[in-house]
Amino acid sequence: MRTFIDKKEYSSDIFTQLEQAETFCYNHINVGAEINGLQRVDIPEIPLDAIREALLNALVHRDYTNSGRDIKVSIFDSYIRILSPGALPPNIRYEDIFDGRSEIRNKVLAKVMNKLDFIEKWGTGINRIIKACESMELRQPDIIEKNDFFEVKLYRSAKENNNTAVNENKHDRTITDDKRTITGHDTGHDTGHDTGHDTGHDIDELINKINKSIIKLISKVNGEMSRDQLQNEVNMKHRETFYKNYLTPALEQGFIERTLPNKPTSKNQRYRLSPLGIKIRNMINK
């Protein structure tokens, strides 16, 4: 029997799912630090670039035609496993993915992600994952195609691996669970079938799936602002309603972040757009 320490299931828009999954992984791996001048720099045991690239790969290349299968992200003692439904396209061999060859299954979603700078260059994702792990002298990731699924294993630090190698096959202590799910349900039809649509149109569709209250709040954020300032900007009189309909969901979905995340109730607390929130605002303003 496996014991789950934490479990989450996400079924919101693609951007939110990506941010939530990345945050979930970050919160369940070890994070060291070094001092650079007067600043403390956090160093996760697995590069965030590798985690984010693997999640992007799963979201963009998964098979959305089968709504009963979801992306699973599991965090074990010695590795993170990202499992995505859908084997490689027929024209792509396993060896090809390491040579930069790529065939896009979900053309609309891939174009949107590329236009928003989530994807830098076609066919480079797998090698970027490998190089990011090599840069931290980690074990090379396992890239596996099996039974109509595509799997990426990102191994944790060498010290962590040595300490848990005995238990790896039994998964006696699973940091999170086997059912951590990114559903991608809202974009299945667009990405799986309507590949002839204009990219700009599909960006608009993705924005339309974000709650209008959150869109309004995103458009009003200017630098770092207090809660009172934000509440006034959206013309809300009641604090509870503002928290419920605007600020809390924007924080939970990763569009807005606190300047003092470890002191949420501080009188000096301010709020600003996250990198994802900035992308959404730029899209709105185009």
Side-chain angles (χ1 to χ4, degrees):
M1 176 181 290
R2 297 178 182 177
T3 301
F4 300 147
I5 294 177
D6 197 1
K7 175 181 178 180
K8 301 289 183 184
E9 294 189 5
Y10 301 129
S11 57
S12 53
D13 62 88
I14 287 288
F15 302 114
T16 302
Q17 289 179 42
L18 177 62
E19 293 296 324
Q20 289 173 326
E22 183 179 355
T23 299
F24 188 82
C25 291
Y26 183 85
N27 289 339
H28 288 287
I29 61 175
N30 298 319
V31 180
E34 65 178 22
I35 304 300
N36 186 0
L38 298 176
Q39 294 184 325
R40 177 180 181 271
V41 180
D42 290 337
I43 305 176
E45 61 177 332
I46 299 176
L48 289 185
D49 285 348
I51 294 174
R52 190 174 186 83
E53 198 70 44
L55 290 170
L56 270 171
N57 185 77
L59 284 167
V60 172
H61 294 294
R62 67 161 286 182
D63 182 359
Y64 286 94
T65 60
N66 188 334
S67 60
R69 300 187 302 173
D70 303 312
I71 297 171
K72 307 290 193 299
V73 180
S74 310
I75 306 178
F76 298 100
D77 288 349
S78 54
Y79 60 84
I80 291 177
R81 183 182 69 187
I82 300 171
L83 189 66
S84 178
L88 292 172
N91 296 332
I92 298 293
R93 300 174 303 167
Y94 176 79
E95 295 80 7
D96 292 337
I97 63 176
F98 301 98
D99 294 330
R101 285 198 59 195
S102 176
E103 182 172 315
I104 302 171
R105 176 183 279 119
N106 305 302
K107 292 183 174 60
V108 171
L109 178 58
K111 287 180 181 178
V112 170
M113 289 297 191
N114 179 253
K115 190 176 181 66
L116 298 178
D117 296 326
F118 283 95
I119 298 174
E120 292 189 8
K121 187 178 180 182
W122 307 123
T124 62
I126 294 299
N127 285 327
R128 286 167 60 86
I129 293 170
I130 294 172
K131 289 179 180 179
C133 293
E134 287 179 345
S135 70
M136 292 188 61
E137 299 182 349
L138 299 175
R139 174 176 167 179
Q140 181 168 312
D142 288 340
I143 313 296
I144 304 166
E145 183 192 31
K146 184 177 181 182
N147 298 332
D148 200 33
F149 278 88
F150 194 83
E151 177 180 342
V152 176
K153 284 184 179 179
L154 303 174
Y155 287 91
R156 305 177 70 174
S157 67
K159 180 178 180 180
E160 184 78 8
N161 287 339
N162 290 337
N163 290 340
T164 62
V166 174
N167 290 332
E168 181 175 321
N169 292 329
K170 295 182 180 179
H171 303 306
D172 288 338
R173 187 176 66 84
T174 305
I175 293 179
T176 183
D177 70 306
D178 233 35
K179 303 296 182 182
R180 164 66 180 78
T181 304
I182 308 173
T183 67
H185 180 266
D186 291 339
T187 59
H189 179 72
D190 290 340
T191 58
H193 302 286
D194 297 337
T195 57
H197 284 199
D198 178 75
T199 302
H201 171 76
D202 290 281
I203 292 175
D204 292 338
E205 288 296 318
L206 289 171
I207 292 177
N208 288 337
K209 291 173 182 176
I210 303 174
N211 186 282
K212 291 182 180 180
S213 297
I214 297 177
I215 291 291
K216 183 177 181 180
L217 182 61
I218 290 172
S219 68
K220 298 294 185 180
V221 178
N222 182 17
E224 297 180 356
M225 302 176 68
S226 68
R227 193 268 309 162
D228 286 338
Q229 289 174 321
L230 291 176
Q231 187 173 329
N232 290 334
E233 284 292 329
V234 296
N235 298 317
M236 290 298 302
K237 295 181 179 180
H238 301 289
R239 181 183 300 183
E240 293 78 7
T241 304
F242 172 70
Y243 271 114
K244 180 180 179 181
N245 296 335
Y246 291 84
L247 187 56
T248 299
L251 287 167
E252 290 178 347
Q253 295 178 35
F255 299 119
I256 288 178
E257 60 188 16
R258 296 182 177 92
T259 58
L260 300 173
N262 296 325
K263 299 178 181 179
T265 61
S266 172
K267 66 179 181 180
N268 296 319
Q269 186 66 259
R270 296 293 182 271
Y271 302 89
R272 64 192 173 207
L273 290 178
S274 67
L276 176 60
I278 293 172
K279 288 181 181 291
I280 297 298
R281 185 178 63 184
N282 292 340
M283 290 161 53
I284 296 169
N285 293 336
K286 284 185 178 180

